[in-house]
Amino acid sequence: MAREPRFVFKEAAFNAALVKVDRNKVYGWSEIKYEDSNQQICSFINMLDDGKTMVGTGGIALKSIDELGDEIDKSTLIAKYMDDTDAVLYPSVFDVDTVLSNDKSISDYLSMDVKSVYQLQFSESNESILELLKIHKVLYFSFNYRAGYDPDDAFLLHQGDNIFAVIGRLTNFSYSSLEIPSVLDDETEEAGDDLDFNMF
Amino acid sequence: MRKIKIANVQKRDAEIVFGGLFRKPVVQYKLQDGTTARNIKVLKSDLKRQYDALFNEYGSDESLSKGILEEDPEIDLNNVGKIIGTTQKVLINPDNKPVYKVKITEVIYNVDGSIKDEKPFTTRNQNILSDYPISWTGKQIPIDEAYNKFIFAKKYQLTHNNGLTFDFLFAMAKELHGKKVMMLLAAGAKGNEPLIFQENGRPYRAFLEGRIIDESYLLIMHISNLELKPIL
């Protein structure tokens, strides 16, 4: 049986399994197929900068090195915040109670860049938590799937009788005034699929 | 910051700028002596020494196992551990030969993995900075209803680049703020296409949200390609 985080909101507590909502499971997906002149399926590999060494999946390793270029055992590294104090390791949601709070609003939720979505699966009735979400709309919590130093932001919300956990990173947009337009980051997006959008 | 051409409800358009915000890493990994570690990519084995090529050479797993024990064909002592800089993606055929001319097909799958359609691949052009501005569709969704209908994966803030576009965007934000709604945006000549932010990028639906405080504004373009639907 899947491990279930335990959520706590004031006096209420409940357990629920997390089932990942994958876009492919909702709409399907697409792939690009490349064929040569003999109808053989072709695939991408990495060519190194010497122009002749070709490397396939699994042919490259990621290593950590020190200032002298010697390899380091990653388990010996110490996590530090930018001010050089020791970073706090936050436990996985599966290992401790996850405390929900109602101090964040729909506006906060809408300011979050989303990384993943889970549907909550209950072995018992979800009535009590559903009632809470109908009142508060969103309930905030910190989320670490595995123990880590920089937890994600997360919200519980409901759609009909179903409850979802939406995980991501809150962004602090600043308002633009005539004198001070907001300064924003550029980004590029990876080329993706071309599915019909079934939203409407 | 990137540019986008957007029209308001009166179909007046302007070129303005947009972008996101990224949370910088809060943690760095250090050695015991306080120095910082660096990550590098190193070569484990090239294509000729990876499983598929060696299997073809030896003919069976048994022969390959024996070969690995006796001859170390998987190790290239001259190159293993070499630090890798930039790489380029290259298409190869099953014989591990680079190919230069290929037929490109897009295969679309249903949720159950069956093939729904197969068609020649066509390039998708970006449409956020084209002859046709991104326009308001007139479809307004109250924020209280939209928040749990769609997954707004990414947010981009729209901002002005001169005094005229400040007025233009402030008016948009004020209208949306007053109505407490999100406006569905669309691209294309007919104003009904999803937004594509870069060449061959994914198509997204975009919803514009406006907030104001005194004489400042916040216009957020929420983009989505997923409805919040149960899968259980």
Side-chain angles (χ1 to χ4, degrees), chain B residues 92-132:
Chain B
I92 58 164
N93 65 17
D95 304 324
N96 290 344
K97 303 283 183 213
V99 288
Y100 305 98
K101 194 174 177 186
V102 287
K103 180 182 158 197
I104 309 176
T105 312
E106 184 170 19
V107 186
I108 300 169
Y109 295 90
N110 290 309
V111 175
D112 62 6
S114 59
I115 293 176
K116 181 180 177 183
D117 193 14
E118 203 166 326
K119 58 187 181 185
F121 176 77
T122 50
T123 302
R124 258 191 314 255
N125 295 319
Q126 64 82 16
N127 58 13
I128 57 164
L129 197 58
S130 70
D131 292 344
Y132 305 103

mmCIF file of all heavy atoms in Angstrom, chain B residues 92-132:
data_model
loop_
_atom_site.group_PDB
_atom_site.id
_atom_site.type_symbol
_atom_site.label_atom_id
_atom_site.label_comp_id
_atom_site.label_asym_id
_atom_site.label_seq_id
_atom_site.Cartn_x
_atom_site.Cartn_y
_atom_site.Cartn_z
ATOM 1 N N ILE B 92 20.995 9.859 -35.354
ATOM 2 C CA ILE B 92 21.692 8.695 -35.922
ATOM 3 C C ILE B 92 20.670 7.611 -36.265
ATOM 4 O O ILE B 92 19.573 7.565 -35.703
ATOM 5 C CB ILE B 92 22.743 8.125 -34.952
ATOM 6 C CG1 ILE B 92 22.093 7.721 -33.611
ATOM 7 C CG2 ILE B 92 23.872 9.110 -34.717
ATOM 8 C CD1 ILE B 92 22.960 6.823 -32.780
ATOM 9 N N ASN B 93 21.069 6.723 -37.191
ATOM 10 C CA ASN B 93 20.204 5.596 -37.536
ATOM 11 C C ASN B 93 20.575 4.388 -36.670
ATOM 12 O O ASN B 93 21.505 4.481 -35.857
ATOM 13 C CB ASN B 93 20.284 5.314 -39.042
ATOM 14 C CG ASN B 93 21.665 4.858 -39.472
ATOM 15 O OD1 ASN B 93 22.473 4.448 -38.637
ATOM 16 N ND2 ASN B 93 21.948 4.943 -40.754
ATOM 17 N N PRO B 94 19.862 3.264 -36.811
ATOM 18 C CA PRO B 94 20.172 2.122 -35.941
ATOM 19 C C PRO B 94 21.595 1.588 -36.118
ATOM 20 O O PRO B 94 22.084 0.846 -35.267
ATOM 21 C CB PRO B 94 19.131 1.071 -36.363
ATOM 22 C CG PRO B 94 18.011 1.859 -36.930
ATOM 23 C CD PRO B 94 18.637 3.029 -37.597
ATOM 24 N N ASP B 95 22.271 1.943 -37.238
ATOM 25 C CA ASP B 95 23.663 1.526 -37.419
ATOM 26 C C ASP B 95 24.641 2.516 -36.776
ATOM 27 O O ASP B 95 25.849 2.456 -37.033
ATOM 28 C CB ASP B 95 23.988 1.416 -38.923
ATOM 29 C CG ASP B 95 23.030 0.466 -39.624
ATOM 30 O OD1 ASP B 95 22.654 -0.541 -38.992
ATOM 31 O OD2 ASP B 95 22.635 0.747 -40.774
ATOM 32 N N ASN B 96 24.108 3.437 -35.986
ATOM 33 C CA ASN B 96 24.910 4.471 -35.309
ATOM 34 C C ASN B 96 25.613 5.406 -36.276
ATOM 35 O O ASN B 96 26.691 5.936 -35.985
ATOM 36 C CB ASN B 96 25.941 3.836 -34.361
ATOM 37 C CG ASN B 96 25.283 3.198 -33.163
ATOM 38 O OD1 ASN B 96 24.119 3.466 -32.880
ATOM 39 N ND2 ASN B 96 25.999 2.340 -32.475
ATOM 40 N N LYS B 97 25.046 5.594 -37.461
ATOM 41 C CA LYS B 97 25.605 6.533 -38.427
ATOM 42 C C LYS B 97 24.767 7.814 -38.402
ATOM 43 O O LYS B 97 23.521 7.745 -38.419
ATOM 44 C CB LYS B 97 25.541 5.955 -39.847
ATOM 45 C CG LYS B 97 26.253 4.620 -40.002
ATOM 46 C CD LYS B 97 27.737 4.814 -40.069
ATOM 47 C CE LYS B 97 28.439 3.473 -40.294
ATOM 48 N NZ LYS B 97 29.738 3.400 -39.650
ATOM 49 N N PRO B 98 25.423 8.965 -38.374
ATOM 50 C CA PRO B 98 24.653 10.210 -38.422
ATOM 51 C C PRO B 98 23.825 10.299 -39.700
ATOM 52 O O PRO B 98 24.283 9.856 -40.758
ATOM 53 C CB PRO B 98 25.735 11.299 -38.407
ATOM 54 C CG PRO B 98 26.916 10.652 -37.794
ATOM 55 C CD PRO B 98 26.856 9.215 -38.220
ATOM 56 N N VAL B 99 22.627 10.805 -39.588
ATOM 57 C CA VAL B 99 21.779 10.972 -40.778
ATOM 58 C C VAL B 99 21.511 12.464 -40.976
ATOM 59 O O VAL B 99 21.455 13.239 -40.020
ATOM 60 C CB VAL B 99 20.452 10.192 -40.658
ATOM 61 C CG1 VAL B 99 20.670 8.712 -40.776
ATOM 62 C CG2 VAL B 99 19.738 10.529 -39.360
ATOM 63 N N TYR B 100 21.382 12.828 -42.233
ATOM 64 C CA TYR B 100 21.268 14.249 -42.571
ATOM 65 C C TYR B 100 19.918 14.606 -43.182
ATOM 66 O O TYR B 100 19.531 15.761 -43.207
ATOM 67 C CB TYR B 100 22.400 14.652 -43.520
ATOM 68 C CG TYR B 100 23.749 14.314 -42.937
ATOM 69 C CD1 TYR B 100 24.423 13.155 -43.305
ATOM 70 C CD2 TYR B 100 24.326 15.131 -41.970
ATOM 71 C CE1 TYR B 100 25.650 12.831 -42.742
ATOM 72 C CE2 TYR B 100 25.549 14.820 -41.402
ATOM 73 C CZ TYR B 100 26.206 13.665 -41.795
ATOM 74 O OH TYR B 100 27.408 13.346 -41.220
ATOM 75 N N LYS B 101 19.231 13.584 -43.692
ATOM 76 C CA LYS B 101 17.936 13.842 -44.298
ATOM 77 C C LYS B 101 16.939 12.850 -43.715
ATOM 78 O O LYS B 101 17.136 11.634 -43.843
ATOM 79 C CB LYS B 101 18.039 13.650 -45.823
ATOM 80 C CG LYS B 101 16.869 14.200 -46.582
ATOM 81 C CD LYS B 101 17.098 14.098 -48.070
ATOM 82 C CE LYS B 101 15.874 14.577 -48.819
ATOM 83 N NZ LYS B 101 15.988 14.364 -50.253
ATOM 84 N N VAL B 102 15.929 13.367 -43.053
ATOM 85 C CA VAL B 102 14.975 12.469 -42.407
ATOM 86 C C VAL B 102 13.546 12.894 -42.720
ATOM 87 O O VAL B 102 13.283 14.056 -43.051
ATOM 88 C CB VAL B 102 15.153 12.460 -40.867
ATOM 89 C CG1 VAL B 102 16.386 11.731 -40.446
ATOM 90 C CG2 VAL B 102 15.114 13.859 -40.298
ATOM 91 N N LYS B 103 12.671 11.904 -42.612
ATOM 92 C CA LYS B 103 11.243 12.196 -42.711
ATOM 93 C C LYS B 103 10.744 12.367 -41.266
ATOM 94 O O LYS B 103 10.985 11.488 -40.427
ATOM 95 C CB LYS B 103 10.541 11.016 -43.397
ATOM 96 C CG LYS B 103 9.057 11.173 -43.565
ATOM 97 C CD LYS B 103 8.512 9.897 -44.203
ATOM 98 C CE LYS B 103 7.040 9.761 -43.915
ATOM 99 N NZ LYS B 103 6.572 8.397 -44.148
ATOM 100 N N ILE B 104 10.092 13.469 -41.011
ATOM 101 C CA ILE B 104 9.648 13.737 -39.627
ATOM 102 C C ILE B 104 8.134 13.600 -39.540
ATOM 103 O O ILE B 104 7.398 14.232 -40.300
ATOM 104 C CB ILE B 104 10.069 15.149 -39.171
ATOM 105 C CG1 ILE B 104 11.560 15.369 -39.441
ATOM 106 C CG2 ILE B 104 9.781 15.342 -37.693
ATOM 107 C CD1 ILE B 104 12.046 16.778 -39.113
ATOM 108 N N THR B 105 7.698 12.749 -38.631
ATOM 109 C CA THR B 105 6.266 12.481 -38.466
ATOM 110 C C THR B 105 5.879 12.737 -37.014
ATOM 111 O O THR B 105 6.660 12.442 -36.104
ATOM 112 C CB THR B 105 5.958 11.001 -38.797
ATOM 113 O OG1 THR B 105 6.584 10.675 -40.029
ATOM 114 C CG2 THR B 105 4.477 10.739 -38.891
ATOM 115 N N GLU B 106 4.699 13.247 -36.837
ATOM 116 C CA GLU B 106 4.189 13.436 -35.477
ATOM 117 C C GLU B 106 3.163 12.341 -35.195
ATOM 118 O O GLU B 106 2.196 12.183 -35.952
ATOM 119 C CB GLU B 106 3.545 14.809 -35.361
ATOM 120 C CG GLU B 106 3.094 15.087 -33.954
ATOM 121 C CD GLU B 106 2.681 16.542 -33.767
ATOM 122 O OE1 GLU B 106 2.406 17.207 -34.778
ATOM 123 O OE2 GLU B 106 2.613 16.981 -32.626
ATOM 124 N N VAL B 107 3.392 11.590 -34.138
ATOM 125 C CA VAL B 107 2.481 10.502 -33.766
ATOM 126 C C VAL B 107 1.729 10.938 -32.511
ATOM 127 O O VAL B 107 2.348 11.290 -31.508
ATOM 128 C CB VAL B 107 3.252 9.192 -33.494
ATOM 129 C CG1 VAL B 107 2.284 8.040 -33.263
ATOM 130 C CG2 VAL B 107 4.202 8.875 -34.628
ATOM 131 N N ILE B 108 0.410 10.904 -32.604
ATOM 132 C CA ILE B 108 -0.409 11.334 -31.467
ATOM 133 C C ILE B 108 -1.069 10.113 -30.834
ATOM 134 O O ILE B 108 -1.667 9.288 -31.539
ATOM 135 C CB ILE B 108 -1.469 12.364 -31.925
ATOM 136 C CG1 ILE B 108 -0.746 13.583 -32.519
ATOM 137 C CG2 ILE B 108 -2.361 12.788 -30.763
ATOM 138 C CD1 ILE B 108 -1.647 14.535 -33.243
ATOM 139 N N TYR B 109 -0.917 9.997 -29.538
ATOM 140 C CA TYR B 109 -1.417 8.831 -28.814
ATOM 141 C C TYR B 109 -2.631 9.183 -27.961
ATOM 142 O O TYR B 109 -2.708 10.285 -27.409
ATOM 143 C CB TYR B 109 -0.328 8.276 -27.886
ATOM 144 C CG TYR B 109 0.873 7.737 -28.630
ATOM 145 C CD1 TYR B 109 1.952 8.571 -28.922
ATOM 146 C CD2 TYR B 109 0.938 6.406 -29.023
ATOM 147 C CE1 TYR B 109 3.059 8.084 -29.601
ATOM 148 C CE2 TYR B 109 2.037 5.915 -29.705
ATOM 149 C CZ TYR B 109 3.097 6.760 -29.996
ATOM 150 O OH TYR B 109 4.183 6.276 -30.666
ATOM 151 N N ASN B 110 -3.542 8.220 -27.852
ATOM 152 C CA ASN B 110 -4.657 8.349 -26.913
ATOM 153 C C ASN B 110 -4.153 8.081 -25.496
ATOM 154 O O ASN B 110 -3.021 7.614 -25.303
ATOM 155 C CB ASN B 110 -5.756 7.330 -27.251
ATOM 156 C CG ASN B 110 -6.453 7.679 -28.544
ATOM 157 O OD1 ASN B 110 -6.901 8.801 -28.741
ATOM 158 N ND2 ASN B 110 -6.531 6.715 -29.451
ATOM 159 N N VAL B 111 -5.034 8.330 -24.545
ATOM 160 C CA VAL B 111 -4.669 8.117 -23.141
ATOM 161 C C VAL B 111 -4.249 6.668 -22.889
ATOM 162 O O VAL B 111 -3.351 6.392 -22.087
ATOM 163 C CB VAL B 111 -5.881 8.488 -22.241
ATOM 164 C CG1 VAL B 111 -5.605 8.167 -20.789
ATOM 165 C CG2 VAL B 111 -6.215 9.963 -22.401
ATOM 166 N N ASP B 112 -4.876 5.711 -23.615
ATOM 167 C CA ASP B 112 -4.560 4.295 -23.396
ATOM 168 C C ASP B 112 -3.316 3.839 -24.155
ATOM 169 O O ASP B 112 -2.959 2.659 -24.122
ATOM 170 C CB ASP B 112 -5.768 3.417 -23.774
ATOM 171 C CG ASP B 112 -6.131 3.550 -25.252
ATOM 172 O OD1 ASP B 112 -5.387 4.228 -26.001
ATOM 173 O OD2 ASP B 112 -7.160 2.977 -25.660
ATOM 174 N N GLY B 113 -2.650 4.742 -24.842
ATOM 175 C CA GLY B 113 -1.408 4.396 -25.547
ATOM 176 C C GLY B 113 -1.615 4.005 -27.000
ATOM 177 O O GLY B 113 -0.636 3.775 -27.720
ATOM 178 N N SER B 114 -2.865 3.896 -27.443
ATOM 179 C CA SER B 114 -3.115 3.573 -28.848
ATOM 180 C C SER B 114 -2.885 4.817 -29.705
ATOM 181 O O SER B 114 -3.007 5.950 -29.216
ATOM 182 C CB SER B 114 -4.550 3.058 -29.028
ATOM 183 O OG SER B 114 -5.458 4.044 -28.594
ATOM 184 N N ILE B 115 -2.540 4.578 -30.984
ATOM 185 C CA ILE B 115 -2.248 5.721 -31.859
ATOM 186 C C ILE B 115 -3.545 6.348 -32.338
ATOM 187 O O ILE B 115 -4.432 5.676 -32.859
ATOM 188 C CB ILE B 115 -1.384 5.273 -33.054
ATOM 189 C CG1 ILE B 115 0.006 4.854 -32.542
ATOM 190 C CG2 ILE B 115 -1.244 6.398 -34.075
ATOM 191 C CD1 ILE B 115 0.927 4.312 -33.599
ATOM 192 N N LYS B 116 -3.636 7.655 -32.160
ATOM 193 C CA LYS B 116 -4.834 8.393 -32.561
ATOM 194 C C LYS B 116 -4.650 8.963 -33.962
ATOM 195 O O LYS B 116 -5.565 8.966 -34.777
ATOM 196 C CB LYS B 116 -5.056 9.531 -31.556
ATOM 197 C CG LYS B 116 -6.255 10.404 -31.780
ATOM 198 C CD LYS B 116 -6.276 11.468 -30.669
ATOM 199 C CE LYS B 116 -7.403 12.450 -30.840
ATOM 200 N NZ LYS B 116 -7.344 13.501 -29.806
ATOM 201 N N ASP B 117 -3.450 9.433 -34.232
ATOM 202 C CA ASP B 117 -3.209 10.077 -35.527
ATOM 203 C C ASP B 117 -1.713 10.090 -35.809
ATOM 204 O O ASP B 117 -0.902 10.071 -34.876
ATOM 205 C CB ASP B 117 -3.747 11.513 -35.499
ATOM 206 C CG ASP B 117 -3.812 12.131 -36.890
ATOM 207 O OD1 ASP B 117 -3.692 11.377 -37.881
ATOM 208 O OD2 ASP B 117 -3.970 13.361 -36.979
ATOM 209 N N GLU B 118 -1.390 10.087 -37.080
ATOM 210 C CA GLU B 118 0.005 10.176 -37.487
ATOM 211 C C GLU B 118 0.039 11.124 -38.668
ATOM 212 O O GLU B 118 -0.664 10.900 -39.660
ATOM 213 C CB GLU B 118 0.519 8.783 -37.882
ATOM 214 C CG GLU B 118 1.998 8.654 -37.780
ATOM 215 C CD GLU B 118 2.498 7.201 -37.836
ATOM 216 O OE1 GLU B 118 1.783 6.299 -37.330
ATOM 217 O OE2 GLU B 118 3.578 7.007 -38.391
ATOM 218 N N LYS B 119 0.813 12.180 -38.585
ATOM 219 C CA LYS B 119 0.795 13.176 -39.661
ATOM 220 C C LYS B 119 2.183 13.786 -39.832
ATOM 221 O O LYS B 119 2.984 13.779 -38.888
ATOM 222 C CB LYS B 119 -0.232 14.276 -39.337
ATOM 223 C CG LYS B 119 0.025 14.993 -38.040
ATOM 224 C CD LYS B 119 -1.097 15.954 -37.686
ATOM 225 C CE LYS B 119 -0.797 16.679 -36.393
ATOM 226 N NZ LYS B 119 -1.839 17.539 -35.904
ATOM 227 N N PRO B 120 2.459 14.299 -41.028
ATOM 228 C CA PRO B 120 3.768 14.932 -41.231
ATOM 229 C C PRO B 120 3.941 16.088 -40.263
ATOM 230 O O PRO B 120 3.001 16.847 -40.002
ATOM 231 C CB PRO B 120 3.698 15.442 -42.680
ATOM 232 C CG PRO B 120 2.604 14.674 -43.313
ATOM 233 C CD PRO B 120 1.619 14.348 -42.242
ATOM 234 N N PHE B 121 5.128 16.196 -39.718
ATOM 235 C CA PHE B 121 5.404 17.247 -38.749
ATOM 236 C C PHE B 121 5.440 18.603 -39.439
ATOM 237 O O PHE B 121 6.037 18.756 -40.502
ATOM 238 C CB PHE B 121 6.751 16.988 -38.064
ATOM 239 C CG PHE B 121 7.163 18.070 -37.124
ATOM 240 C CD1 PHE B 121 6.592 18.163 -35.869
ATOM 241 C CD2 PHE B 121 8.111 19.010 -37.493
ATOM 242 C CE1 PHE B 121 6.961 19.175 -34.999
ATOM 243 C CE2 PHE B 121 8.496 20.019 -36.624
ATOM 244 C CZ PHE B 121 7.913 20.097 -35.375
ATOM 245 N N THR B 122 4.774 19.554 -38.852
ATOM 246 C CA THR B 122 4.842 20.916 -39.390
ATOM 247 C C THR B 122 5.370 21.852 -38.301
ATOM 248 O O THR B 122 5.045 21.688 -37.116
ATOM 249 C CB THR B 122 3.456 21.427 -39.842
ATOM 250 O OG1 THR B 122 2.529 21.211 -38.778
ATOM 251 C CG2 THR B 122 2.970 20.725 -41.093
ATOM 252 N N THR B 123 6.165 22.784 -38.734
ATOM 253 C CA THR B 123 6.746 23.737 -37.777
ATOM 254 C C THR B 123 5.653 24.630 -37.208
ATOM 255 O O THR B 123 4.774 25.079 -37.923
ATOM 256 C CB THR B 123 7.793 24.620 -38.490
ATOM 257 O OG1 THR B 123 8.778 23.759 -39.042
ATOM 258 C CG2 THR B 123 8.453 25.580 -37.523
ATOM 259 N N ARG B 124 5.730 24.830 -35.905
ATOM 260 C CA ARG B 124 4.782 25.743 -35.248
ATOM 261 C C ARG B 124 5.497 27.050 -34.967
ATOM 262 O O ARG B 124 6.508 27.059 -34.266
ATOM 263 C CB ARG B 124 4.347 25.139 -33.907
ATOM 264 C CG ARG B 124 3.004 24.502 -33.899
ATOM 265 C CD ARG B 124 2.594 24.196 -32.473
ATOM 266 N NE ARG B 124 3.636 23.571 -31.699
ATOM 267 C CZ ARG B 124 3.667 22.287 -31.378
ATOM 268 N NH1 ARG B 124 2.717 21.482 -31.779
ATOM 269 N NH2 ARG B 124 4.648 21.793 -30.655
ATOM 270 N N ASN B 125 5.004 28.115 -35.532
ATOM 271 C CA ASN B 125 5.631 29.411 -35.293
ATOM 272 C C ASN B 125 5.123 30.035 -34.010
ATOM 273 O O ASN B 125 3.972 29.814 -33.622
ATOM 274 C CB ASN B 125 5.348 30.358 -36.453
ATOM 275 C CG ASN B 125 5.982 29.862 -37.739
ATOM 276 O OD1 ASN B 125 7.109 29.372 -37.733
ATOM 277 N ND2 ASN B 125 5.255 29.958 -38.836
ATOM 278 N N GLN B 126 5.980 30.809 -33.388
ATOM 279 C CA GLN B 126 5.513 31.570 -32.221
ATOM 280 C C GLN B 126 4.455 32.566 -32.709
ATOM 281 O O GLN B 126 4.511 33.024 -33.851
ATOM 282 C CB GLN B 126 6.681 32.280 -31.513
ATOM 283 C CG GLN B 126 7.395 33.356 -32.308
ATOM 284 C CD GLN B 126 6.703 34.712 -32.284
ATOM 285 O OE1 GLN B 126 5.837 34.970 -31.451
ATOM 286 N NE2 GLN B 126 7.079 35.573 -33.208
ATOM 287 N N ASN B 127 3.500 32.886 -31.870
ATOM 288 C CA ASN B 127 2.446 33.808 -32.313
ATOM 289 C C ASN B 127 2.171 34.934 -31.313
ATOM 290 O O ASN B 127 1.113 35.536 -31.330
ATOM 291 C CB ASN B 127 1.146 33.048 -32.626
ATOM 292 C CG ASN B 127 0.637 32.270 -31.418
ATOM 293 O OD1 ASN B 127 1.099 32.476 -30.299
ATOM 294 N ND2 ASN B 127 -0.318 31.382 -31.647
ATOM 295 N N ILE B 128 3.160 35.168 -30.439
ATOM 296 C CA ILE B 128 2.931 36.241 -29.454
ATOM 297 C C ILE B 128 3.452 37.585 -29.958
ATOM 298 O O ILE B 128 3.175 38.615 -29.362
ATOM 299 C CB ILE B 128 3.576 35.913 -28.084
ATOM 300 C CG1 ILE B 128 5.090 35.663 -28.227
ATOM 301 C CG2 ILE B 128 2.895 34.727 -27.442
ATOM 302 C CD1 ILE B 128 5.816 35.719 -26.914
ATOM 303 N N LEU B 129 4.224 37.532 -31.034
ATOM 304 C CA LEU B 129 4.759 38.775 -31.589
ATOM 305 C C LEU B 129 4.664 38.645 -33.105
ATOM 306 O O LEU B 129 5.657 38.412 -33.802
ATOM 307 C CB LEU B 129 6.216 38.958 -31.138
ATOM 308 C CG LEU B 129 6.819 40.347 -31.279
ATOM 309 C CD1 LEU B 129 6.027 41.379 -30.503
ATOM 310 C CD2 LEU B 129 8.265 40.357 -30.779
ATOM 311 N N SER B 130 3.433 38.719 -33.589
ATOM 312 C CA SER B 130 3.220 38.520 -35.025
ATOM 313 C C SER B 130 2.355 39.661 -35.560
ATOM 314 O O SER B 130 2.128 40.666 -34.873
ATOM 315 C CB SER B 130 2.521 37.176 -35.262
ATOM 316 O OG SER B 130 1.192 37.235 -34.797
ATOM 317 N N ASP B 131 1.862 39.495 -36.772
ATOM 318 C CA ASP B 131 1.006 40.540 -37.349
ATOM 319 C C ASP B 131 -0.282 40.711 -36.548
ATOM 320 O O ASP B 131 -0.887 41.785 -36.543
ATOM 321 C CB ASP B 131 0.635 40.170 -38.798
ATOM 322 C CG ASP B 131 1.854 40.238 -39.698
ATOM 323 O OD1 ASP B 131 2.860 40.851 -39.281
ATOM 324 O OD2 ASP B 131 1.810 39.667 -40.800
ATOM 325 N N TYR B 132 -0.713 39.603 -35.931
ATOM 326 C CA TYR B 132 -1.979 39.647 -35.192
ATOM 327 C C TYR B 132 -1.700 39.696 -33.691
ATOM 328 O O TYR B 132 -1.066 38.798 -33.146
ATOM 329 C CB TYR B 132 -2.834 38.417 -35.518
ATOM 330 C CG TYR B 132 -3.057 38.262 -36.992
ATOM 331 C CD1 TYR B 132 -2.344 37.309 -37.719
ATOM 332 C CD2 TYR B 132 -3.945 39.088 -37.670
ATOM 333 C CE1 TYR B 132 -2.526 37.178 -39.085
ATOM 334 C CE2 TYR B 132 -4.116 38.967 -39.035
ATOM 335 C CZ TYR B 132 -3.407 38.013 -39.735
ATOM 336 O OH TYR B 132 -3.579 37.901 -41.083
#
